[in-house]
Every structure is written in C-alpha cells, then in structure tokens.
Amino acid sequence: MIDKNDKPKNADALIAELHEFRDEVITKYPKKVAKKRAKSIVLSDGDKPPQIQANVRTIPGIITQRGCTYAGCKGVVLGPTRDIINITHGPIGCGFYSWLTRRNQTKPVNENDPNFIPYCFSTDMQDSNIVFGGEEKLKQAIREAYELFHPKTIAIFSTCPVGLIGDDVHRVARHMKEEIGDGINIFGFSCEGYRGVSQSAGHHIANNGLFKNLIGRDDEVRGQLKYRVNLLGEYNIGGDAFELERVFEKCGINLLASFSGNSTIQKFENAHTADLNMVMCHRSINYVAEMMEKAFGIPWIKVQPIGANSTAKMLRKIAQYFGDKELIDTVEAVIAEEMIEVNKVLEQARKRTAGKVTMLFVGGSRAHHYQDLFEELGMTTVAAGYEFGHRDDYEGRSVIPTISIDADSRNIEEITVTQDETRYRPRKTEEELKALEAEGMEFNEYHGIMQQMEKGALVIDDLSHYEMDQLIEKYKPDIFCAGIKEKFCVQKMGIPLKQLHNYDVGGPYAGFQGAVNFYKDIEMMVGATIWKEIKAPWESEDYVEASFAY
Amino acid sequence: MYAALGLHGCLPHSHGSQGCCSYHRSALTRHFKEPVMAATSSFSEGSSVFGGSANLVTAIETIFTVYNPDVVAVHTTCLSETIGDDLTQIVSKAHEDGLVPEGKKVIYCNTPSYVGTHVTGYSNQVAAFVKFFSTATPKKKNVVNLVAGWMEPSDMREIKRLAQEMEARIILFPDMSGVLDAPLTGKFEMYPKGGTTQAQLIATGDSKFTIGLGAYTTEDACVKLENKCKVKFEVVEIPIGLKATDRFITSLSRHANVPVPDSITEERGRLVDLIADNSKYFYGKRVALFGDPDTLIPLTEFLLTLDMKPVYIVTGTPGKHFDESMQTLLSEKVPEAKYKSGPNADMFQLHQWIKQESVDLLIGNTYGKYIARDENIPFVRMGFPIVDRAGHNYFPNTGYVGATNLVIKILEKELDHLDRNCPDEKVEWQL
C-alpha cells in the first residue's frame, strides 16, 4: 500500500534545502541561545542517526510548547484511570487546567461502577496554607473525599509550592491510610512542576508510583489463560483504546490492562499476570515495561498501532510471539476483514492527499507514530520533533548507555527493581527468545523517530514558536501537526493544523477504524475550500497604478 | 495573561515554571479559538531554590531579540511568589545589563495563585497598567476612561460602539477586541492590530473621569488612577442586562457630557419589547448560575428584570461585595435563593443544591454541561471558559444588543427543551 512513487514531486527538492534551515534560524537568537538551539536541530539520517540534544532545560522566554512535571504525572499517566481519586495538592490552577482537558475517555462496565473522571479534586491552597503548611488541609481533603465517594484508591499530586514549603505528601498518605483503614490505598507523588525540564519527569515519577503502589497487588489469574497482554502507554484519547480493545477481542487476545486509557486500579494491580507487554508510547511508560520485565519476567516489545498497516504489524507480532497457529490464523482473518473498509476509504482519500507534505511536532511519541498514517496517505514528513522526547526516542534505545543525566534531571527518583522472589517467571526461555529474534522479533527495542524519516529531513527538539513560524514561512507544508497553542497561529498563516494531542475532538485514530477516521479527516483538511478564500477578491485583483497627467 | 493581551504590542510573560504558562495559553486558546502568545521563565529545580532572577533576565533578552514586543508584561505564579522573587530588582538588573532596548518596556505585577482567583489576577494586571503608564500632565482632557472588566472582545467592541454612537470621547483599557477575535489573513500577527495603545494608557492620567466596569476587576485600577493622577471615578457593573446598561449609559452620558442619542434609546426599546412579548417564558422560572462575580451580579439583576428566579448562585471568587449585592438583589424578590462565594463555593455544591430541588435553566461556563446533562436542564453558556462552542467572542452580552442576544439565547434553549421533551400532542408550532 505504501508506494514510494507517491512521494511529492517537490519533496526531494524541499528536503535538499532543509539543511539551510538551522544555520538561518539560529542567527536570530542571542549568541548563547543560538549555540544551544543549534544542538537540538539536526538532519535526519536513519542509517546513522546524528546525535541530538534533547531533554535539556528550556530556554527562558523562547516560547516553548512544553508543560511541566505535574502535567506529565497527574495529567497524562494517572489522570485516565476512572476509579482513583486524584487530589491535586496546590492552589486551584493546576487542578482546574488539568480538569477534562485531555480527552482520555473511559467507560465503566456497569452503571454503578465508580467514575471520577468528570471531577476535579483540589486542596485549593490559600496564602495561609503557604505560610503555615498545607498538610492538615490535605488530610482533611482526603477524609472528605473518602466520606463522600468511598474510593478504593486516592493519589496526591504535588504542585510547585508544595516542595518549597516542605509539605510531605508521602507522610500524609501513610498517615491517612492508617487513619481510614478499610484497605484503602493512598499514595503521593512529588511531581512539583519545577522538577526536571518538561512533562517527561512527571512520567518517570508516575511510573515509579505505579510500580511501587499498584502493580502486583493482585495475583489472581482471571479470564482466559492464553494470549494475555498489556498495552503500555495508550491513554484512550478520543477512544483509541476502545478501538484497540475491539481489535484485540476480535482476535481473541486477552488485554489485561491499558496503561492507562480506560483503566481501573484493579487492572494495574493485576497486570503482572500478563505474558507480554506492548509499549505504545515509549517515552511515558518504558520505565514500567523495564521494571515489570525485571521483577516478573514479562518481555516487552514496541508496537505502533497507528496506521492500518502498523496495526496489522502489531497483531502479527503478538501472534508470532505466542507462536500459536490458531491465533496466527485468526489474526490474518481479522486483518483481511478490517482492511476491506480501510482500503476503500484510503483509495478515496489518497486522491487528495497523495504527494503532499507534512510536519509533526507533538509530545513524546505521536510525532513518530503518525508518520505511518501519513505514509499510508502518500504524504511525506519533512520535519518532525518532540516537545520532551529523550535521545532514545530520536536515535533509538541503543544510545541509552551514552546519555548523561544533567543537573536539571538528576533529582528525579530512580528506583531499583529486583527480581520478585516468588513471582518472577520468565515467559519465554532464552532459546525461545533467541529463536523469535532470529525471525526478526525485537525485544526491549525502539529505534526512534529518525530511522523512519527521509534522509535529510529536519528533526527539531523542543520547537520554539519562532522556529515553527520560520518552518511554515519557508516551506509551506500542506498540513502541520501540533497542539492547541500552535493551532490558530498556524491557521492564521493559511495552513491547516491537525491537533495530534486532542485530535481536534475527533478520533479514535488508533487501529483500523482509527486509520479510517484519520484518512477522512486529513482528506477533509488538506482539501477544504475555505483555505482558498483567505484573500478578499478586491485584495488579489490586479490593478494598474497610474496618475493623471495635467 | 488575558488582561495583558489587551495592551497593543504586549507579550505577557509568566514568571514561574513553564507548566502554568502552557496551561494558561491553552485555556485562553480553547475559549477564543485564537492564538494566545506568552513567554515563560521556565524555572528549573535550581532556580526554584536559588531564585529565578537569571531566568527572567535571560528571558527578557531572548524575548526582545526574537519576538520584539513593545512591552513585556510579567506576572508571577505560586512558585516565584513562594520563593519571594523581587521583580523590581530583577527588572532593573535587566535594564542595567542593557537587555531592554531603547523605547521598550518591561512592566510587572504580582499574581500569587493562592490568593483570590483569575479575577484577582486580571485586576492586578489592570492596576499595573495604571502604575506603569498613566501620567497626569497639567492639561486635563474631556475624555472618560472606561476600565474594562473581564468580558469578551465582542463586549468591548459593543462598549466602544455605544460610546461612538453617543459621541463620547473615551479610552477603553484593556481592550481585547482586534486581538482575540482577529481575522484570518494568511499572515500570523504576533501583535495583532487591536489592544489599547501605550499612548492611550499614558493619556488616561489626563482624562476627566474614570468609569470602572465591574468592581472585582477594575476598582483597584480606578483607585490607583485617582491616587496617582487625581482622576475621579465611579465603578458600575459590567453592562449586562437592562438596568446595568441603563446605569452605564447614564454614567457615560453624564461624565462625558453627551446626550444619549435616539438610536440607543431605540435599542433599549427593542429589548423591552422582546422581553414584554415573551414574559410567560420567563416568569417564575428557577435559574441556577455560576461564574465570576462581576458577571453574576448584573446577570442576576437582569434575570430579576425578566421576572425569573435566580435561586442558586455560586462564584469561586472570594469577596464580600458579591454576598452583599446578592443580599440586596434577592432578599425581597427571591428570599429562598442560595448563594455562596469563595474557595468552597464550587459546582459540586451547586449540583447538590440542584439535586435537592431542580431548576428550569442553568447559566455558566462549559463545565456546566455535565450538570445540565445529568439533570436534563436547558443550559446557556456564558462566562469563562466556553470551550465547546464557537462565536461567543463575536457577539456581545453587554449593552442592550447584548441583552437582546442573551434573551434570545435563553428563549432558544428553553423552547428547544420544551419541544424535545413535551408529549407529541403538545408540540406547538408558534411562540
């Protein structure tokens, strides 16, 4: 289906020009800033990825896309779980702004199942709490939350002032756990916004919390015994997880837990009874994957179910891993069936999309994943980057040993995980793993964004507003992908912007149905009539300037 | 941040860790569907311990070099407030280091997030405009300052139109029209055409009178302007509804010394006509509302003018003025009304009240739709933020025209609700 002949006629010429971008764009910056930014802008080379500077502090005043650690921890990782009460310990802003603003949908099984997603819980710190400390108010908030809702689990999220005034959320959590009793689980996160340099630190802190406080608390093996998998780093934006759940069910694959789209606490607690972990968003959840392998012996593979072919590839990988003829046959049958509609819609969409050019600057994984979908649409990605990816997300995990942790990220907690004495069980023997690897399966591996991109395409980490402006001004892509803050800036320039955080309230975009939705949405956007109507007729008419001679 | 965008050529700057800035820009963008530009000091753990001075100084250099605004308007977050960064000192250091180019300005205000709400922050920024710009010269001019409280760009446009109809000379500040409702032209304007200019702000010191629209958001600025430049002031409500608009027009007419033209009296008459024609859809209807106090006070009054019954009213913003106004407005007409302000007055409380005894209409921001859906109540979106509908920044809620819009919106929602929920034989085809 991907046909390299679709490559836009101007793509090669365009890519050949891109090397000028860095040299030109950095001249505008003050000297020190230019020096730093130059290291974060590289030309892609899939065979031999150049080193990129990533996961370093943001330059003050540069107008970054980035958010903070609290957003990465509460907003991203723990936010989507419906039966946990997430209390933001801080002034009201952090809680308010992360209230329903990410589209992590959830669907309780029964009407009376708890669902706290529509709520925002906060300690709403006032000046007196800053002066005298907020621990008492936090305790009171936990008591009230328990009395009103009787949740099984409560988590506390620290915001900027909490660390500064010395409130100890972990101590409060222990205290309240004892006070309430009733088997309640309460734990805290030190995810103050100033920690680390971006959302990424929050992911790491959240992963540690998941592992320490939830994973492995429930050993009961439920449901079917075959094909037990977890999907890590899938947050059910716009119903992505619903679509993947549908596909897995159709194939007879037993999805125990999504981390953390459409999830419940119990699913986390039970996740260690799976036989395979699949990592979708590498950046946000690779820590959990690593820890689960070490403690419980569950291997992990990278998957990318964004794009119809990529979804098929994921299913085939699972089938290959379990090596079961029945599963292999079902998977092939499902793929064949699903591809009928996919191909029909794709054929239609490609009439308008093939040969077009795109640029993607999104969080920590989608800037990569969505290139699959654009390839299917016959579009070329000429520039891409992450807000908060690390070097391994750009260059592949093989560079991890060479990454040095700088002063800004040094204080992010690293937890040491050891083999679980009773529950460690290698899911495959060394020989089995070797055999699978010989067939081309890769474990604990992610090759990064550059491997996929055209040689010479631009890769930019922590894109600034100015750099974005210049990219569009100079290269006029047919579609630009980023987030809400960028959307209307770019559209004012006459270029449609596809939001790949919230999908412009569309989706799902994962899986087969997701691909169908995406094809249609991009077809609509690149061809929309309104983009040709920007100039009023009297603005674009030629007129002759002349003066009367007297 | 919102108030700072109402100054032409201004880049707001958030002195704290970058998460706040991202959240604030996103919230405003979702509401306006427009670019919202702002920079941040991007605190790291180090700066949180040792102070954010270096961050702000670097930011000032980067901003002027790359983005070239006329003014950088710095506000703070709970982070920089808790550690006690001294903005005056930091900004003067930036000046000493020669990082603020000739003719450019860095202004600042303190906005600790653990005091008050976004309304308080807006008020602090507007007061800072007075502090840094307003200048009195010996020559007073026959101009009235209008200090705009938190409202939509469409409302500011409407207020300017009314002043123009009256031929009153005014300076409106801040003014987000032309900034947060800018046209799509094929070119991104980092500093759009709109916004009060610095020259206008400086000139506010020479005006003969100031009218503040909304006590919570503008009173501080009015007081500051009187203290600094001896400009007398009056604070009226944001002109939402009939009577609040009457008071605004009367005040402007008196202080700008201009008569009210027939065109405006006719607008008023059309509004009265519409209300009189549809009284039966308003009379005795129970309404729940939530939002910012400067909006809720005139809105409550307007609902009473419609003979509706505002029974539950909550605002998260603390302050006595709200409670006193509600007491005055409601004690006789709706003695059963419940109202609450401050940190514990939230939508959970409102929802509980509604569950105890329901209402016929809910008015508030987008978050209200969860209650409206749960309880099957017609819902009018008003306030901030409205993220799930478009165009509210194009059509006003203020003035007689705005009140007309509001009445039509309420009618639409009520009648749609009626049409959808009544039995077949009761479906009417006329109003």
Side-chain angles (χ1 to χ4, degrees):
Chain A
M1 197 161 51
I2 302 162
D3 180 357
K4 283 286 170 187
N5 293 330
D6 286 326
K7 220 158 96 182
K9 291 173 191 64
N10 64 344
D12 284 333
L14 207 159
I15 287 170
E17 275 176 44
L18 292 172
H19 69 275
E20 295 166 9
F21 179 83
R22 176 171 67 178
D23 302 338
E24 273 175 40
V25 84
I26 62 168
T27 56
K28 177 97 175 181
Y29 289 125
K31 238 187 203 152
K32 269 200 235 156
V33 175
K35 216 173 137 193
K36 282 186 195 158
R37 286 306 299 152
K39 292 184 196 155
S40 292
I41 307 174
V42 301
L43 293 177
S44 176
D45 185 340
D47 304 327
K48 207 170 158 279
Q51 182 172 336
I52 189 167
Q53 172 182 268
N55 191 34
V56 295
R57 69 168 71 165
T58 316
I59 293 159
I62 199 162
I63 308 193
T64 175
Q65 300 177 296
R66 282 177 173 176
C68 68
T69 303
Y70 164 84
C73 184
K74 189 267 185 182
V76 173
V77 180
L78 272 298
T81 306
R82 65 174 165 266
D83 57 355
I84 181 171
I85 284 190
N86 290 326
I87 298 179
T88 300
H89 186 38
I92 197 65
C94 310
F96 176 82
Y97 293 109
S98 56
W99 184 17
L100 291 165
T101 44
R102 274 174 67 82
R103 298 182 57 232
N104 36 247
Q105 302 180 350
T106 200
K107 200 172 177 179
V109 182
N110 300 306
E111 206 178 309
N112 291 327
D113 289 350
N115 176 13
F116 306 121
I117 298 278
Y119 289 105
C120 161
F121 300 89
S122 169
T123 54
D124 191 11
M125 287 173 99
Q126 303 293 312
D127 42 1
S128 60
N129 307 129
I130 301 292
V131 178
F132 303 110
E135 290 191 8
E136 281 312 312
K137 196 173 189 189
L138 175 58
K139 285 181 191 166
Q140 190 53 30
I142 294 170
R143 270 179 215 119
E144 271 180 39
Y146 178 73
E147 282 161 18
L148 281 171
F149 296 101
H150 294 283
K152 286 197 206 103
T153 308
I154 295 176
I156 309 155
F157 298 86
S158 307
T159 61
C160 289
V162 171
L164 301 173
I165 64 172
D167 273 6
D168 185 341
V169 297
H170 308 285
R171 186 175 59 211
V172 171
R174 283 194 300 274
H175 177 97
M176 291 311 295
K177 209 169 158 174
E178 272 171 36
E179 184 187 302
I180 293 174
D182 193 21
I184 194 168
N185 192 3
I186 304 177
F187 45 91
F189 292 93
S190 293
C191 53
E192 288 87 347
Y194 56 76
R195 292 193 190 277
V197 299
S198 67
Q199 289 93 312
S200 178
H203 301 148
H204 196 162
I205 292 165
N207 277 228
N208 293 347
L210 284 176
F211 192 80
K212 282 192 295 193
N213 300 301
L214 291 170
I215 295 167
R217 282 165 56 100
D218 172 9
D219 287 332
E220 193 185 327
V221 177
R222 297 182 181 81
Q224 73 185 45
L225 301 178
K226 286 201 286 188
Y227 323 137
R228 297 166 68 85
V229 301
N230 296 315
L231 185 57
L232 274 51
E234 156 48 61
Y235 302 101
N236 201 21
I237 306 297
D240 279 351
F242 296 149
E243 162 64 4
L244 295 172
E245 285 165 11
R246 180 188 73 86
V247 172
F248 287 138
E249 199 182 319
K250 202 166 165 183
C251 295
I253 295 163
N254 186 11
L255 179 67
L256 292 189
S258 284
F259 283 70
S260 46
N262 195 30
S263 64
T264 60
I265 290 298
Q266 190 251 316
K267 287 184 181 180
F268 292 151
E269 291 178 336
N270 194 235
H272 65 296
T273 64
D275 293 322
L276 174 66
N277 277 334
M278 296 180 288
V279 171
M280 186 164 163
C281 172
H282 174 260
R283 181 68 270 133
S284 66
I285 207 86
N286 75 86
Y287 316 96
V288 161
E290 292 280 290
M291 291 187 276
M292 284 178 79
E293 168 152 46
K294 204 155 194 189
F296 304 109
I298 309 170
W300 69 268
I301 56 171
K302 176 77 179 72
V303 296
Q304 198 154 305
I306 303 293
N309 289 332
S310 320
T311 306
K313 202 167 148 192
M314 171 187 76
L315 294 175
R316 289 186 176 121
K317 269 192 198 174
I318 301 170
Q320 187 187 2
Y321 174 82
F322 288 107
D324 183 309
K325 177 83 169 56
E326 189 192 332
L327 182 61
I328 293 170
D329 290 345
T330 319
V331 159
E332 288 305 328
V334 169
I335 295 171
E337 193 190 328
E338 294 284 332
M339 285 310 252
I340 296 168
E341 195 196 348
V342 166
N343 287 327
K344 205 174 99 198
V345 177
L346 185 58
E347 195 185 334
Q348 180 64 28
R350 282 172 67 109
K351 288 177 193 158
R352 280 167 100 165
T353 58
K356 293 210 154 51
V357 164
T358 177
M359 297 180 173
L360 298 87
F361 291 89
V362 200
S365 83
R366 292 194 181 112
H368 182 191
H369 291 173
Y370 278 75
Q371 294 190 24
D372 287 1
L373 272 168
F374 282 117
E375 276 181 20
E376 292 175 2
L377 285 162
M379 295 175 68
T380 304
T381 303
V382 297
Y386 300 123
E387 280 172 50
F388 49 76
H390 296 197
R391 277 184 59 206
D392 38 323
D393 303 298
Y394 288 103
E395 303 169 44
R397 285 181 68 89
S398 58
V399 302
I400 288 179
T402 69
I403 298 177
S404 52
I405 296 169
D406 69 8
D408 293 317
S409 300
R410 196 162 295 145
N411 289 344
I412 311 300
E413 179 196 33
E414 286 278 354
I415 56 175
T416 320
V417 175
T418 49
Q419 205 165 313
D420 191 287
E421 279 174 20
T422 52
R423 297 177 294 180
Y424 179 83
R425 176 171 60 84
R427 302 316 202 250
K428 296 270 176 191
T429 63
E430 285 290 325
E431 295 75 47
E432 283 170 331
L433 286 175
K434 284 234 169 67
L436 283 166
E437 277 169 347
E439 289 171 26
M441 259 194 103
E442 291 181 306
F443 294 97
N444 311 6
E445 184 57 284
Y446 172 47
H447 293 291
I449 192 172
M450 284 200 238
Q451 202 201 43
Q452 182 156 5
M453 292 177 70
E454 297 271 333
K455 193 170 173 166
L458 269 174
V459 179
I460 306 177
D461 180 64
D462 187 17
L463 182 82
S464 72
H465 172 81
Y466 170 69
E467 290 156 15
M468 176 178 83
D469 186 89
Q470 291 299 299
L471 273 178
I472 292 168
E473 198 65 18
K474 284 187 172 31
Y475 306 115
K476 301 263 182 267
D478 295 289
I479 199 160
F480 195 90
C481 300
I484 185 80
K485 299 192 294 297
E486 294 76 37
K487 178 164 177 99
F488 301 99
C489 303
V490 172
Q491 296 201 160
K492 287 277 193 255
M493 297 188 229
I495 304 290
L497 185 142
K498 181 72 211 165
Q499 292 187 69
L500 286 186
H501 295 277
N502 85 346
Y503 305 166
D504 295 304
V505 198
Y509 287 155
F512 298 109
Q513 269 306 315
V516 166
N517 293 338
F518 193 77
Y519 301 154
K520 288 180 182 167
D521 285 353
I522 297 301
E523 179 199 1
M524 177 264 295
M525 287 183 90
V526 298
T529 308
I530 198 63
W531 300 112
K532 299 177 194 83
E533 296 294 335
I534 292 171
K535 288 277 170 247
W538 50 89
E539 286 180 303
S540 45
E541 254 172 34
D542 288 332
Y543 65 95
V544 181
E545 250 184 87
S547 57
F548 290 104
Y550 292 102
Chain B
M1 189 181 284
Y2 183 41
L5 292 165
L7 167 59
H8 179 76
C10 175
L11 185 70
H13 181 89
S14 169
H15 185 53
S17 66
Q18 66 209 5
C20 311
C21 185
S22 254
Y23 274 148
H24 301 158
R25 290 180 63 202
S26 299
L28 289 165
T29 305
R30 289 188 184 106
H31 177 81
F32 291 107
K33 319 281 186 270
E34 287 291 322
V36 173
M37 301 311 294
T40 162
S41 296
S42 295
F43 273 54
S44 62
E45 193 156 0
S47 28
S48 305
V49 177
F50 303 112
S53 174
N55 291 57
L56 184 50
V57 171
T58 310
I60 288 171
E61 184 187 12
T62 310
I63 289 168
F64 282 119
T65 315
V66 184
Y67 297 111
N68 198 30
D70 297 330
V71 185
V72 174
V74 183
H75 58 261
T76 58
T77 69
C78 52
L79 175 50
S80 51
E81 287 295 331
T82 304
I83 65 175
D85 267 1
D86 181 352
L87 291 182
T88 311
Q89 204 181 5
I90 301 172
V91 171
S92 59
K93 182 168 187 325
H95 276 284
E96 280 161 28
D97 294 354
L99 300 175
V100 183
E102 193 72 27
K104 305 280 180 179
K105 271 199 129 94
V106 180
I107 66 170
Y108 47 88
C109 63
N110 292 86
T111 52
S113 60
Y114 40 78
V115 176
T117 64
H118 59 295
V119 168
T120 324
Y122 183 97
S123 169
N124 294 354
Q125 179 62 68
V126 179
F129 287 152
V130 172
K131 177 180 162 196
F132 284 94
F133 292 106
S134 304
T135 312
T137 67
K139 233 185 137 192
K140 284 267 183 253
K141 292 200 182 93
N142 188 25
V143 173
V144 174
N145 299 323
L146 297 178
V147 191
W150 188 304
M151 48 182 136
E152 300 275 345
S154 48
D155 295 322
M156 295 168 180
R157 213 175 270 287
E158 177 64 7
I159 280 161
K160 284 192 290 186
R161 185 189 67 84
L162 286 167
Q164 202 176 9
E165 295 263 309
M166 293 168 75
E167 298 183 0
R169 292 174 65 194
I170 60 150
I171 297 172
L172 177 75
F173 76 97
D175 179 6
M176 289 67 146
S177 64
V179 179
L180 288 160
D181 56 359
L184 198 156
T185 59
K187 192 171 180 320
F188 167 70
E189 300 286 354
M190 184 131 175
Y191 311 105
K193 273 189 188 157
T196 313
T197 63
Q198 287 182 61
Q200 286 175 310
L201 281 181
I202 293 166
T204 55
D206 284 337
S207 298
K208 66 171 223 187
F209 199 76
T210 302
I211 303 174
L213 305 175
Y216 282 81
T217 38
T218 69
E219 193 164 10
D220 280 358
C222 290
V223 171
K224 215 171 209 104
L225 191 51
E226 181 174 35
N227 292 341
K228 191 179 174 192
C229 304
K230 307 275 174 290
V231 185
K232 293 249 172 281
F233 72 90
E234 176 183 27
V235 175
V236 297
E237 278 90 34
I238 291 177
I240 293 169
L242 184 72
K243 291 182 184 173
T245 305
D246 286 349
R247 285 194 296 274
F248 166 67
I249 297 286
T250 310
S251 177
L252 184 58
S253 163
R254 183 183 309 145
H255 296 294
N257 199 21
V258 289
V260 182
D262 290 349
S263 60
I264 290 182
T265 313
E266 283 161 18
E267 280 174 16
R268 186 183 188 280
R270 278 194 288 273
L271 171 62
V272 174
D273 186 73
L274 179 72
I275 297 171
D277 290 350
N278 296 288
S279 283
K280 68 167 175 171
Y281 293 106
F282 306 129
Y283 184 80
K285 291 280 165 64
R286 291 163 54 84
V287 192
L289 47 160
F290 63 96
D292 297 339
D294 284 347
T295 310
L296 292 181
I297 294 167
L299 181 60
T300 301
E301 185 191 38
F302 186 43
L303 296 173
L304 292 169
T305 310
L306 296 172
D307 289 324
M308 297 183 103
K309 283 184 159 190
V311 284
Y312 309 133
I313 309 145
V314 294
T315 180
T317 299
K320 272 193 200 139
H321 178 62
F322 173 82
D323 297 326
E324 286 164 3
S325 304
M326 288 299 145
Q327 166 77 13
T328 315
L329 287 168
L330 296 166
S331 58
E332 272 179 40
K333 284 197 162 176
V334 195
E336 73 272 31
K338 294 178 183 175
Y339 50 85
K340 201 170 175 186
S341 64
N344 293 320
D346 59 15
M347 295 176 60
F348 187 73
Q349 171 79 72
L350 185 72
H351 197 172
Q352 297 305 308
W353 284 344
I354 291 173
K355 280 199 175 297
Q356 283 157 19
E357 192 178 352
S358 194
V359 292
D360 304 302
L361 181 68
L362 177 67
I363 304 179
N365 67 32
T366 286
Y367 286 103
K369 86 167 161 192
Y370 292 85
I371 297 178
R373 196 179 134 88
D374 263 12
E375 309 297 328
N376 192 23
I377 306 168
F379 174 43
V380 169
R381 285 170 180 76
M382 190 167 168
F384 178 85
I386 298 168
V387 299
D388 61 338
R389 295 293 185 272
H392 46 80
N393 51 342
Y394 289 7
F395 299 99
N397 288 317
T398 49
Y400 302 117
V401 170
T404 308
N405 278 342
L406 201 53
V407 169
I408 292 170
K409 263 193 256 178
I410 292 173
L411 268 179
E412 287 276 343
K413 292 293 168 148
E414 277 193 345
L415 294 171
D416 278 350
H417 187 78
L418 199 66
D419 287 344
R420 199 164 303 139
N421 293 292
C422 70
D424 281 353
E425 66 278 16
K426 292 287 181 193
V427 180
E428 301 288 347
W429 72 274
Q430 62 180 354
L431 189 66

